[in-house]
Amino acid sequence: MKQRALLLALSVALGACSESAESPARAPLIYVDAVAAAGGSGAADSPFSTVAAAVASAQAGDTIVLAAGTYPEAIRLEEGHGIAEVRGAGPDLTLISPDAGRGVIVVGGKVTISSLMVTGAESAGLSGRDVELLLRDVHVQATQRVDRAGDGNGGGHGVQVTDAKSVELIRCQLSNNHGAGLMISGVGLVTLDDPDTTTMPADAADGSRNPGFAPASVVSHNKGGGVAIVNPPAASAGSAHFVVRRTLIEGNDGFGLASYGVGGEVHASAVIGTRRPPSADYADGVSLLEGVDPAAAATVVVAATTLLADNEAAGARVAGHGHLRIAGVLRGNHKGGAWAVGPAATLSVEASALLVANKGIGAGAAAGAMLWVQGARIGATEAVYAVAPTGGIPELIADGVVIASGARARIADANLSDNQDAGLLLIEPALLAGGFVDVQVKGCTFGASEVGIAVNVLAAGQVSAAQAAGWQADNTFVGVKKAVALDTKLNTQRIPGPK
């Protein structure tokens, strides 16, 4: 009897397994074609005609596949959607062009958007919140500002992500948007990269731009700036970070890459041609500024393989409690190569750095900032006319390093040659006791300049003869008219640092 019951149970179980095996598995791909007839099922041979229909039918883990064509609607992946990926046929083939509003909206989950273009959206081309977001081969362009609140903040950003764990952009192009190309706020990890690019942005010998550098990761010609990374997440302020690799950031208005209280790295990339907006006076290539917590410290590294060139303000600038480390090439920037401004700001120019042909100064520190230079070359600074904020006669400035307005410096083993005025100019630097200024210079080469080390008349009497003699003994001066000058009239109108 027990044996019959056991056989019956086994038979029922096998039958259930057989029925389960014969049930068709649900396909994880949902197909959409903008020119398909209405009423499709989402199968490959019966696609939906709208993205909205595909999203409505999707289950957790599904991928929506968009055929080539133009979709006049937004892609809305709201909280709890569970969709794994939305994939187009290519950024030149699949176009998301909504009649109004944002192009792609992603809230929650871990999502990939790939191989499509968003064009002509309003406020944000693609926006994300509370998400792990991967964008691969996505182009976003011509996003428009819409000031519905009347506060002048109408967005217009290409990609905007807030309060999220991570956002990664691989071979993405964000261009000609009316806001910033990429606007990030409160995101733990931000990455931009083109892993297929092997060409470096600058010539290794003289730092000139390599015309062969043309990565597919591009942020260009956006009217509201290039890349803005604003404030780390409140819960993980110490771990927030950004990494920019093999990316071209070019021709943006106002800033190329601006970090507000978030540390990061820039490798094998170019930040070039940042333009001054019509109503403002800022156009730095890379800037590290105060975030929501003014006392929070952050470090940004511009690696040896990176080029910051031809920006209409400084190539790089640091303020607040930031530490900016320069190891790359800064060339042809209109308001100096690199600046540190403010008593808690630190600028480090490292041995591999090449700061050449910048206008006015190569590197500078002002308003109590700290400058470290170790083994770098800072030279061939081009003369530019400058006027003090209080007015006066414009005067030519062409100095390698400038330490001004209570700033401090440690300069060792650097080449500060071929600067028209001074290799190193001091204008009211920080003072120490006993007739010394807080500037150490040792093992450096000064050549082909009017003066090697110049102390401006504004600082007359601040530098003792003993300190001046030490500078002269500890450094090499070749082809300069005067090694150390303690009362030069170079740049008597003060250099306040970039605005």
Side-chain angles (χ1 to χ4, degrees), residues 253-255 274-277 279-284 312-313 317 499:
D253 288 2
F255 58 87
T274 307
R275 304 170 301 194
R276 215 172 11 238
S279 59
D281 191 29
Y282 48 85
D284 300 318
E312 290 190 357
R317 180 162 63 103
K499 294 180 180 179

Side-chain angles (χ1 to χ4, degrees), residues 278-376:
S279 59
D281 191 29
Y282 48 85
D284 300 318
V286 171
S287 51
L288 173 57
L289 307 171
E290 290 181 355
V292 66
D293 180 1
T299 298
V300 169
V301 178
V302 177
T305 50
T306 291
L307 172 66
L308 310 182
D310 301 314
N311 299 289
E312 290 190 357
R317 180 162 63 103
V318 57
H321 282 71
H323 182 188
L324 183 59
R325 293 174 49 195
I326 303 293
V329 177
L330 278 63
R331 185 183 184 94
N333 298 289
H334 295 197
K335 288 193 174 182
W339 274 102
V341 181
T346 301
L347 172 65
S348 298
V349 184
E350 302 180 357
S352 61
L354 179 62
L355 280 63
V356 293
N358 296 289
K359 296 181 180 180
I361 71 154
M370 182 70 188
L371 172 65
W372 296 82
V373 180
Q374 177 64 52

Side-chain angles (χ1 to χ4, degrees), residues 330 354-358 361-363 376-382 399-401 415-420:
L330 278 63
L354 179 62
L355 280 63
V356 293
N358 296 289
I361 71 154
R377 181 188 168 198
I378 304 176
T381 304
E382 298 180 359
D399 304 301
V401 173
N415 186 340
L416 307 180
S417 298
D418 302 309
N419 298 291
Q420 179 175 306

Side-chain angles (χ1 to χ4, degrees), residues 387-417:
V387 178
T390 55
I393 300 172
E395 88 182 292
L396 282 172
I397 299 172
D399 304 301
V401 173
V402 173
I403 307 300
S405 306
R408 302 151 290 148
R410 306 289 183 267
I411 306 172
D413 304 318
N415 186 340
L416 307 180
S417 298

Side-chain angles (χ1 to χ4, degrees), residues 69-114:
T70 299
Y71 296 81
E73 59 177 316
I75 299 176
R76 305 181 66 91
L77 308 183
E78 305 291 1
E79 197 161 2
H81 57 82
I83 294 170
E85 182 176 2
V86 177
R87 181 195 313 154
D92 296 327
L93 298 173
T94 300
L95 276 61
I96 307 301
S97 183
D99 293 332
R102 302 186 176 202
V104 179
I105 302 168
V106 184
V107 180
K110 185 175 182 179
V111 183
T112 298
I113 307 293
S114 64

Side-chain angles (χ1 to χ4, degrees), residues 423-453:
L424 169 62
L425 175 64
L426 308 181
I427 307 175
E428 299 181 304
L431 297 178
L432 298 173
F436 288 83
V437 294
D438 197 0
V439 176
Q440 298 177 15
V441 191
K442 189 171 183 178
C444 296
T445 299
F446 295 85
S449 301
E450 185 77 14
V451 182
I453 300 175

